Amino acid sequence: MSAASTISRRRLGATGPEVSALGLGCMAMSGGYGPPDRAEGIAAIHAALDSGINLLDTGDFYGMGHNELLIAEALREVPRDQVVLSVKFGAQRGPAGDFVGFDARPAAVKTALAYSLTRLGTDHLDVYRPARLDPAVPIEATIGAIAELVAAGYVRHIGLSEVGAQTIRRAHAVHPIVDLQIEYSLLSRRPEAEILPTCRELGIAVTAYGVLGRGMLSGQWTADNAADPGPIRSRMPRFHSENLAHNLALVAALTRVAEARGATPSQAAIGWALAKGEEIVPLLGARRRDQLIDALGAATLQLSEDDLAEIERAVPPGAVAGDRYDSGQMGTLDSER
């Protein structure tokens, strides 16, 4: 059986496109988790497409445009209708790469889209979404501006990212929302309380990022490499020394459950997310082909109800030590309010 035939399809919300049940998150190909490797990034995108993945997720601020240009190069010979491009906008960055705020004003929405279309070499985006809620701009104004771009043919569908239930309802009242992008994993269960039920009620899909807990659940992270966690993980309390030993014990328990079923911890974590509902599409944050190949094993992993219960006993809700971001970033998330 070919890899492509093992990845099923799911509808991205009640009104969205059909996508592969697993998507490819491309952020790490442009730094943050290690130096960018252009050739390997392009090869990973090609391997994902060959496997049957058609959903590619990026942001215009990933590498300050580097990620969009990389994707454009990778897709140069790929028919446009074979790929679903999902793009986030609004995060503002300085020349040193630091984040300096958010801008989701209607004029900024349209300017950002113009640049993304040019960098990606396309005449439309399949899903366009604000990366975060801009506290200075009503969500109705932002979604209204994207709706104008939908009417003009530059955008096909509208998504959201890291917003709470009330904001989801307000946005959906302006224009149908096809998906919410949010961190959701065995280590990040907060969306289950109110956000996931709201999405299910409204017919909105969830594209789940961080499904491996920033690599924590891959089984490749150990206390030995904790001394140099990298620029992104160093800002995440779950990787800090006071929390790491506790969290690695959870991963060890997950690994035992996975290996008893002939799987890796990555595959068990992704398989768990896939099993949480047909409306959930996990994003694989692979930047190398070997990472992708391991993760794709989740597409054929058959988990019974007993298996899922064992996985949740290994990593119970609320068991993780430390927040997913530092206090400053947590304070910017509408989804955490």
Side-chain angles (χ1 to χ4, degrees), residues 90-92 99-104 131-135 332:
Q92 305 295 289
F99 286 91
V100 296
F102 302 99
D103 191 351
R132 297 288 188 269
L133 179 68
D134 184 341
T332 69

Side-chain angles (χ1 to χ4, degrees), residues 241-270:
S241 58
E242 66 272 21
N243 299 321
L244 189 61
H246 172 88
N247 294 334
L248 288 178
L250 297 175
V251 179
L254 174 65
T255 300
R256 289 191 291 270
V257 174
E259 289 179 346
R261 287 148 183 82
T264 66
S266 294
Q267 292 165 353
I270 297 166

Side-chain angles (χ1 to χ4, degrees), residues 269-288:
I270 297 166
W272 171 87
L274 280 168
K276 296 301 286 186
E278 285 292 317
E279 73 283 357
I280 295 174
V281 177
L283 296 174
L284 308 179
R287 64 189 179 97
R288 303 192 313 268

Side-chain angles (χ1 to χ4, degrees), residues 22 48 131 146 163 171 202 244 250 256 262 266 326:
L22 297 170
I146 306 176
V163 295
L202 299 176
L244 189 61
L250 297 175
R256 289 191 291 270
S266 294
D326 61 34

Side-chain angles (χ1 to χ4, degrees), residues 227-250:
D228 184 21
I232 289 182
R233 293 187 183 97
S234 65
R235 298 194 297 270
M236 296 178 173
R238 292 175 181 177
F239 288 89
H240 294 176
S241 58
E242 66 272 21
N243 299 321
L244 189 61
H246 172 88
N247 294 334
L248 288 178
L250 297 175

Side-chain angles (χ1 to χ4, degrees), residues 4 21 34 46 79-80 96 127 149 153 183 247 254 307-308 324 334:
H46 288 166
R80 179 64 181 86
V127 187
L149 298 170
E183 184 167 354
N247 294 334
L254 174 65
D307 292 335
L308 294 170
R324 56 194 179 109
D334 184 63

